[in-house]
Amino acid sequence: MSNTLLRIYPSELKMPFELRKSNTGCIELVNKTDQRVAFKVKTTNPKKYAVRPTSGIVPPGGSCGITITMQAPKEIPQDYQCKDKFLIQSVIVQEGITHKDIVPEMFGRAPGRVVEEFKLRVIYIPANPPSPVPEGDEEEIADMEVDHEVFRQSMIDAASRQEYASGPQASHDKDASTVKPEVVKYVAENKKLQQELEQLSERRQSLGGFSRTFVLLVFLLSVLVGYWMTGRKV
């Protein structure tokens, strides 16, 4: 039901429920007009609820809070349901009207008078729920532990899949990486020895190709040098 005089929040009265303990709920009335609006609160179970205030005047554009206290229940209702309801009546009043002037007849039907009504049903909710801060901290820690465990397990699974996929090749690569420096060293030394052998082979081939000519030339030069030095001594 749409109201043009008052905006009522909430649209349902959520009342904390706890055995042998009274609890309180609140309603807020906001004047949507530029005139003064009088209101009156009624309930289907007046012995069970204490309403403060039960009536009043909301100034133009103003608001008013209503506190509703439920007596301590002695038993849990069937299906945890509540059949209690509240009725809020509102009507425009003239300047000069005060809270003391509000009477039940002001909310009666009359020509030229517009009386709006808004009904609220009562809904039971658990009283004293767990504190949100510690619960949030515990849930956050639990989530972190779960995330850490999931991450650790995912890493183990990934490693297992990698080991299964690579098989002996992965082990061979690991061994190869371990001996790689020594292999490189041996290969370098072997290459150096091969180069030296090739150089010696080239030298031997060169000496073998010109050995006779070289010996003859050396012999002739020796004879000439000896003859020249002998001639000078004489």
Side-chain angles (χ1 to χ4, degrees):
M1 181 178 179
S2 177
N3 286 11
T4 60
L5 301 180
L6 296 178
R7 182 172 69 248
I8 301 171
Y9 180 83
S11 58
E12 297 176 334
L13 180 58
K14 296 181 179 181
M15 184 67 64
F17 184 89
E18 187 175 3
L19 286 176
R20 293 178 293 276
K21 186 176 181 180
S22 62
N23 284 285
T24 301
C26 297
I27 300 174
E28 183 181 18
L29 309 180
V30 179
N31 190 345
K32 300 168 60 178
T33 72
D34 56 356
Q35 302 181 67
R36 303 170 75 244
V37 176
F39 69 89
K40 184 173 180 62
V41 182
K42 298 180 179 180
T43 178
T44 57
N45 196 343
K47 294 182 179 181
K48 184 178 179 180
Y49 300 95
V51 181
R52 297 289 184 275
T54 57
S55 61
I57 297 177
V58 185
S63 63
C64 177
I66 299 175
T67 301
I68 300 175
T69 302
M70 182 180 66
Q71 293 184 4
K74 298 180 181 180
E75 60 182 8
I76 300 176
Q78 186 177 4
D79 298 331
Y80 211 70
Q81 298 294 324
C82 181
K83 298 181 180 180
D84 301 334
K85 294 181 181 179
F86 283 84
L87 176 66
I88 299 177
Q89 297 176 308
S90 57
V91 63
I92 294 176
V93 294
Q94 301 297 325
E95 291 289 341
I97 300 295
T98 64
H99 177 267
K100 295 180 181 181
D101 299 326
I102 297 177
V103 291
E105 290 75 16
M106 296 178 58
F107 302 93
R109 303 294 179 179
R113 181 186 298 170
V114 177
V115 179
E116 292 187 349
E117 296 181 344
F118 188 87
K119 295 179 180 180
L120 293 89
R121 67 189 186 99
V122 179
I123 299 177
Y124 290 148
I125 61 174
N128 299 324
S131 177
V133 174
E135 181 179 5
D137 293 341
E138 293 177 359
E139 291 180 354
E140 183 177 358
I141 294 173
D143 292 341
M144 290 175 64
E145 292 178 351
V146 171
D147 293 342
H148 175 71
E149 182 63 24
V150 171
F151 176 77
R152 188 178 69 86
Q153 187 63 37
S154 64
M155 292 298 293
I156 294 174
D157 295 342
S160 300
R161 291 194 297 269
Q162 180 66 23
E163 181 179 358
Y164 177 81
S166 58
Q169 182 64 31
S171 177
H172 175 72
D173 293 342
K174 182 178 180 180
D175 294 339
S177 62
T178 303
V179 301
K180 186 176 180 181
E182 296 182 359
V183 172
V184 172
K185 179 180 179 181
Y186 294 150
V187 169
E189 292 180 355
N190 188 23
K191 187 176 181 180
K192 183 178 180 180
L193 290 173
Q194 289 179 356
Q195 291 176 353
E196 292 179 355
L197 289 175
E198 290 177 357
Q199 292 176 359
L200 290 174
S201 178
E202 291 177 357
R203 292 178 182 177
R204 290 181 61 184
Q205 291 177 0
S206 176
L207 291 174
F210 298 95
S211 61
R212 294 179 181 179
T213 305
F214 180 77
V215 171
L216 181 59
L217 290 174
V218 170
F219 176 76
L220 293 175
L221 288 174
S222 299
V223 172
L224 292 174
V225 170
Y227 177 77
W228 179 70
M229 292 182 67
T230 304
R232 291 189 60 183
K233 289 182 179 180
V234 177

